[in-house]
Amino acid sequence: CIIFSVLIIISTLFQISFFKVFGATPAIVLAIICAIGFLCGERCGAICGVVGGFFIDMLGSVGIGFSPVIYMLAGYLCGYFLKVFLKRNFLSFIIYSLCVGGVQFCITLARFAFGAKSFNIIDIFIKTLMPEFFAFMLCVPIVYFTCLGIAGIIKKFSPEN
């Protein structure tokens, strides 16, 4: 989990900087948390989720929020559902990522609904929600194969082997 925590910190700095896809900032850290839960299990996913959510909130502009809890649940559930529903492969990860992206979509919409006095749902959908979702899904394969390589290296050099 320590190596993944370093990856999370680096990707958090990358995510809060200048990086934009489709005019939106992709949730790279969330994709990494999902990949960790998927590849290493729910415990490691939950721990890294708390770390990732904490750094997103600390380095973002809002302050401490609910991100550690949301990211912890995402990492845990990706690892848990792997045991219950689908086997570990790339297609399963894409399906889980679509679900996580959909939840992120709903959370962003709820933030607009509760945080703004008035908003145009069509504008929010076209200018914020869809670009954010597609930016997230675009980074998912890159994150998956990166974390798969790191998990392979960790497994190769772990004392249990």
Side-chain angles (χ1 to χ4, degrees):
C1 283
I2 293 172
I3 293 173
F4 283 123
S5 296
V6 171
L7 178 65
I8 290 167
I9 293 168
I10 292 168
S11 62
T12 302
L13 294 171
F14 191 67
Q15 181 176 323
I16 64 167
S17 64
F18 59 89
F19 187 66
K20 294 209 181 285
V21 177
F22 302 123
T25 303
I28 300 168
V29 176
L30 184 58
I32 290 172
I33 300 303
C34 292
I36 292 169
F38 188 79
L39 296 169
C40 300
E42 66 268 14
R43 182 172 168 229
C44 191
I47 291 168
C48 290
V50 170
V51 171
F54 177 75
F55 279 107
I56 286 291
D57 281 351
M58 287 302 295
L59 297 175
S61 61
V62 179
I64 299 293
F66 293 106
S67 294
V69 174
I70 293 168
Y71 282 39
M72 177 192 68
L73 286 173
Y76 179 82
L77 291 176
C78 280
Y80 176 76
F81 287 145
L82 182 67
K83 289 193 282 188
V84 177
F85 295 114
L86 299 172
K87 295 186 182 208
R88 182 177 289 133
N89 59 39
F90 181 66
L91 182 60
S92 297
F93 184 68
I94 293 295
I95 292 169
Y96 288 151
S97 297
L98 283 169
C99 294
V100 169
V103 170
Q104 179 192 18
F105 184 95
C106 294
I107 289 171
T108 303
L109 182 60
R111 285 182 178 169
F112 274 108
F114 294 118
K117 293 180 182 177
S118 65
F119 64 93
N120 183 344
I121 189 72
I122 303 297
D123 282 345
I124 298 297
F125 189 79
I126 292 171
K127 294 179 181 175
T128 303
L129 296 174
M130 291 309 293
E132 188 177 89
F133 178 78
F134 286 120
F136 171 73
M137 289 308 297
L138 186 66
C139 75
V140 162
I142 298 165
V143 165
Y144 174 78
F145 289 112
T146 302
C147 290
L148 184 65
I150 292 171
I153 292 169
I154 291 171
K155 188 175 182 179
K156 183 177 179 180
F157 291 108
S158 68
E160 294 138 7
N161 289 334

